[in-house]
Amino acid sequence: MVEPKYKRVVLKLSGEALAGQTGFGINPPTIKEIVKEIKEVHDLGVQIAIVVGGGNIWRGVTGEEVGMERAQADYMGMLATVMNALALQDALENIGVPTRVQTSIEMRQIAEPYIRRKAIRNLEKERVVIFAGGTGNPYFSTDTAAALRAAEIEADAILMAKNNVDGVYSADPRIDTNAIKFNELTHLDVIQKGLKVMDTTASSLSMDNDIPLVVFNLNENGNIRRVVLGENIGTTVRGK
Ligand code: UDP
């Protein structure tokens, strides 16, 4: 059997990844496709933690734009990620992948609270751990949650699955035809060049903790597996 390059990963799925064509809400057939890909990687013996976003349901900034208090709107966003986490859990368990959801804000009736040691133990027991609720703090993003959890559980890499974008470009390739794709970068390059990969908080946390990030296209079958096996697709952003 081929040896995976990464043994423990944090897979960042944006809320939009779960929304399908409409870009809004939860689309079960789309989730079904994604979890098949996750199962393939799980079958390789790779430990997988998922950090899921909530932008398909609600974003704090949207609320702020229409006059809501930002922190309040952000809490709504964090709750949105919990709905996505439960949908993912359901779909994974339907195909026989054992899971645990851990929330950064306690909701004991529906999920475990986030406990670092327990998260690691779950991974060791071959359960996919889904981290919901972001960091549990307003003004942060689920990208930052991915960087934070990756550092905490000592993940080998963050896999950032993008919707219909196959890596990091010098400009938005859908707008600028001269945009070039980077194969490799450092987190510092991302920050200095102002590239749109993660927000700066997430990038600096990943830089300080030397966590590699692989940005790749989720919409191509088998891509999560390819990345885990070390195939050079997408863009790798190195820690140092
Ligand atoms: N959020 C937050 N703190 C966190 C993570 C998320 O306040 O640590 C809120 C924030 O309002 C954000 C929303 O949850 O807009 C959804 O998360 P995000 O935008 O990161 O989701 P994605 O873009 O990945 O779907």
Side-chain angles (χ1 to χ4, degrees):
M1 203 167 94
V2 254
E3 199 51 27
K5 179 174 180 187
Y6 305 115
K7 303 273 162 51
R8 178 180 289 170
V9 295
V10 167
L11 174 67
K12 166 69 210 295
L13 291 175
S14 70
E16 274 160 14
L18 313 183
Q21 295 295 323
T22 59
F24 183 80
I26 295 171
N27 185 41
T30 305
I31 299 183
K32 226 172 161 176
E33 291 305 311
I34 297 172
V35 296
K36 269 195 239 160
E37 309 255 321
I38 295 170
K39 185 178 189 305
E40 276 182 14
V41 176
H42 184 256
D43 289 345
L44 294 171
V46 174
Q47 298 181 1
I48 308 161
I50 302 172
V51 170
V52 65
N56 55 322
I57 300 168
W58 182 259
R59 278 207 174 88
V61 283
T62 315
E64 191 178 38
E65 277 161 19
V66 293
M68 284 183 72
E69 191 195 358
R70 174 64 190 267
Q72 179 85 344
D74 276 342
Y75 280 116
M76 290 169 63
M78 287 182 250
L79 293 179
T81 71
V82 180
M83 289 180 62
N84 286 334
L86 295 184
L88 272 172
Q89 174 171 49
D90 179 75
L92 279 164
E93 299 215 327
N94 268 334
I95 56 166
V97 180
T99 65
R100 290 290 184 272
V101 173
Q102 290 201 342
T103 56
S104 55
I105 296 168
E106 278 197 28
M107 291 189 202
R108 286 180 181 270
Q109 283 79 2
I110 53 172
E112 292 179 358
Y114 172 66
I115 298 169
R116 178 181 158 269
R117 281 172 182 276
K118 212 163 171 188
I120 293 171
R121 190 79 194 106
N122 281 327
L123 291 170
E124 287 168 352
K125 286 189 170 171
E126 298 179 8
R127 295 169 183 145
V128 170
V129 179
I130 306 167
F131 292 126
T135 64
N137 301 291
Y139 297 99
F140 286 88
S141 67
T142 52
D143 286 353
T144 300
L148 176 63
R149 296 295 182 243
E152 288 182 277
I153 66 168
E154 295 179 26
D156 301 321
I158 302 168
L159 312 188
M160 177 150 301
K162 290 277 184 194
N163 263 352
N164 294 313
V165 188
D166 64 351
V168 182
Y169 284 78
S170 56
D172 187 340
R174 286 165 297 194
I175 299 167
D176 186 347
T177 48
N178 294 323
I180 51 153
K181 185 181 153 192
F182 298 104
N183 287 323
E184 216 178 82
L185 288 164
T186 63
H187 290 295
L188 191 60
D189 292 333
V190 170
I191 296 168
Q192 283 175 341
K193 293 185 207 290
L195 300 172
K196 295 210 164 27
V197 184
M198 306 195 287
D199 52 85
T200 325
T201 313
S203 288
S204 60
L205 197 59
S206 305
M207 178 176 75
D208 291 348
N209 294 293
D210 198 12
I211 308 165
L213 169 82
V214 187
V215 183
F216 65 99
N217 186 3
L218 178 66
N219 306 92
E220 243 170 59
N221 281 344
N223 264 1
I224 311 179
R225 189 171 186 276
R226 283 189 196 102
V227 170
V228 162
L229 291 177
E231 251 183 68
N232 246 341
I233 60 164
T235 301
T236 302
V237 186
R238 285 181 292 106
K240 286 182 179 142

